[in-house]
Amino acid sequence: MKRILLIVGGGIAAYKACELIRLCRKAGIAVRCVLTDGGAHFVTPMTLAALSEAPVHTSLWDLKDEAEMGHIQLSREADLVVVAPATADLLAKMAAGMADDLATTLLLATDKPVLAAPAMNVRMWQHAATTRNVAQLRRDGVTVLEPDEGAMACGEYGPGRLPEPAAILAAIERALAPEPEPALLAGRHVLVTAGPTQEAIDPVRYIANRSSGRQGYAIAGALAKLGARVTLVSGPTALPTPQGVTRVDVESAQQMADAVEAALPADAAVMVAAVADWRVNAAPRKLAKGDMESRLELVPNPDILATLGHGPRRPGLLIGFAAETHDVLAHAAEKRARKGADWIVANDVSGDVMGGTANAVHLVTANGVESWERMDKEVVAQRLAERIAHALA
Ligand code: C5P
């Protein structure tokens, strides 16, 4: 039986931790709870003990606890440590490596994966300090779920609500799932494009878009983890190269098309790049302000995906992306046919997806449409990589 250590932080969302415990138990996961001082203002140790059918731990200084079970042991006997709700304060302490109560001491002492489900006021969630702390925690390997968006107990509206217990359970189950076979894609070559392209107007100006490259980089990394040889053709991004991935840097769409051609043959290709649809004939010298309007004549760029899809060196599995702000599924189906792709991963980019860390996608294949719930881009990548592995098997 899998076990989690559930740290319940302070906040009105603490009551949802009770439902989470119930769902975990129903899914066959044993739960042991730690309640912070803040959390104890919202739920009682008795409630958590009754639901988890296990003693609840609250204090670092409870000698009885230390005699029966040291905090090191408590932090390590679980397969996964879950923090729900994770308050801004708790996230800050985790990011800083502080250990001034039982919860933070356990989090610092654990050698197990940690999953945090944040819940806080929208301004606190969007504060630069919280953004920094969450980024640090993710770099440290902590899975930080995206909070839900909606009306808050404090009367404001926005992101910051604790994800629904069912969504947290899904994340827990994914984290507890055994690592997929690393050799699933051994011997396979997969080509990934990612990031924006930059189309020079003159030596100092260019046309580009808001793509961060995150989703494509995550996919390249996930494929490499499954043992594939991965070539990542990337437009300009600020991201580190994922482990085990060969990266080819390009700027323009034409350079990307050439690099893709040079990287063939491939068993599969995942075209995630947000390729600029047009370029201009770049001026060799910086244009004067007055010359801009007359010089900006747009020339269509080659469609790299469509060229591959209808070309003689088409990879066995060809996957495109479709970022849309409206009529997402209709556009995706049309794109799949027109570009000769096997799958289209469609997403709605009218919100904060471009440049953000979460994504809600629909997988459009010959068999129809499969909609995935909103999840971290890393998790989208992992799932997609597993699907690719099964399709190529
Ligand atoms: O037509 P649209 O740009 O929406 O198509 C998106 C898909 O096509 C993505 O997979 C993208 O990487 C690919 N694409 C491409 N070359 C282009 C334009 C888009 O490979 N010039």
Side-chain angles (χ1 to χ4, degrees):
M1 179 184 267
K2 293 284 185 184
R3 304 156 169 272
I4 64 164
L5 181 71
L6 176 63
I7 295 176
V8 180
I12 183 68
Y15 78 91
K16 287 194 194 167
C18 302
E19 172 69 0
L20 177 62
I21 298 170
R22 211 181 56 74
L23 292 180
C24 285
R25 303 281 321 272
K26 221 168 111 188
I29 300 166
V31 183
R32 198 175 257 268
C33 294
V34 167
L35 187 59
T36 66
D37 286 348
H41 287 285
F42 296 92
V43 291
T44 68
M46 187 74 87
T47 312
L48 301 184
L51 288 167
S52 63
E53 290 184 78
V56 171
H57 306 269
T58 51
S59 168
L60 189 55
W61 311 117
D62 189 334
L63 287 180
K64 190 160 163 286
D65 277 1
E66 282 300 314
E68 278 176 6
M69 170 175 286
H71 62 266
I72 300 288
Q73 192 190 341
L74 187 56
S75 73
R76 294 186 181 174
E77 63 152 27
D79 301 297
L80 175 74
V81 181
V82 179
V83 189
T87 60
D89 176 68
L90 210 40
L91 290 172
K93 284 183 172 151
M94 287 166 72
M98 289 169 70
D100 61 356
D101 64 0
L102 179 61
T104 49
T105 303
L106 293 173
L107 284 161
L108 200 57
T110 190
D111 58 355
K112 295 296 160 47
V114 177
L115 185 149
M120 67 196 71
N121 167 273
V122 52
R123 307 245 176 270
M124 292 169 81
W125 173 250
Q126 288 171 340
H127 194 284
T130 305
T131 306
R132 202 166 57 230
N133 291 332
V134 168
Q136 181 61 52
L137 287 169
R138 286 184 171 141
R139 274 196 296 276
D140 294 346
V142 175
T143 304
V144 183
L145 300 182
E146 285 298 309
D148 275 356
E149 193 169 325
M152 320 206 87
C154 53
E156 290 188 70
Y157 187 94
R161 287 164 56 103
L162 186 73
E164 285 308 315
I168 303 178
L169 173 65
I172 290 173
E173 286 182 318
R174 269 196 304 278
L176 288 175
E179 285 277 310
E181 267 295 303
L184 275 180
L185 282 170
R188 304 289 196 167
H189 179 215
V190 187
L191 180 60
V192 179
T193 66
T197 63
Q198 290 180 355
E199 310 298 329
I201 295 172
D202 64 21
V204 297
R205 305 183 178 97
Y206 58 79
I207 302 173
N209 56 66
R210 294 186 195 281
S211 166
S212 66
R214 263 197 204 113
Q215 186 63 81
Y217 275 57
I219 290 168
L223 289 163
K225 271 197 191 139
L226 295 186
R229 180 164 72 83
V230 181
T231 306
L232 171 64
V233 179
S234 172
T237 71
L239 301 172
T241 309
Q243 218 175 0
V245 167
T246 305
R247 169 167 161 189
V248 182
D249 282 321
V250 299
E251 280 181 4
S252 67
Q254 187 57 58
Q255 289 169 355
M256 187 173 274
D258 294 344
V260 163
E261 180 66 30
L264 293 174
D267 298 292
V270 195
M271 316 302 272
V272 197
V275 184
D277 293 312
W278 304 279
R279 64 177 180 278
V280 294
N281 287 319
R285 296 167 64 182
K286 186 181 171 191
L287 293 173
K289 264 189 204 109
D291 290 343
M292 282 296 244
E293 291 89 342
S294 57
R295 283 298 301 262
L296 281 192
E297 204 177 307
L298 297 174
V299 183
N301 266 330
D303 190 314
I304 306 167
L305 174 58
T307 307
L308 262 192
H310 300 297
R313 302 177 82 195
R314 185 188 190 281
L317 179 64
L318 183 59
I319 304 169
F321 267 65
E324 306 289 349
T325 54
H326 57 280
D327 297 335
V328 179
L329 293 179
H331 280 127
E334 180 273 329
K335 236 164 247 186
R336 187 176 161 271
R338 178 163 50 86
K339 302 200 184 204
D342 297 300
W343 305 348
I344 291 282
V345 181
N347 57 356
D348 187 334
V349 290
S350 56
D352 59 358
V353 164
M354 267 215 160
T357 57
N359 206 353
V361 305
H362 312 271
L363 185 61
V364 182
T365 70
N367 299 327
V369 180
E370 203 182 289
S371 295
W372 297 357
E373 71 269 29
R374 187 180 155 97
M375 56 182 89
D376 207 84
K377 286 181 179 175
E378 295 284 345
V379 185
V380 172
Q382 218 175 304
R383 271 215 202 172
L384 191 66
E386 281 163 23
R387 293 294 283 265
I388 292 170
H390 286 124
L392 291 183

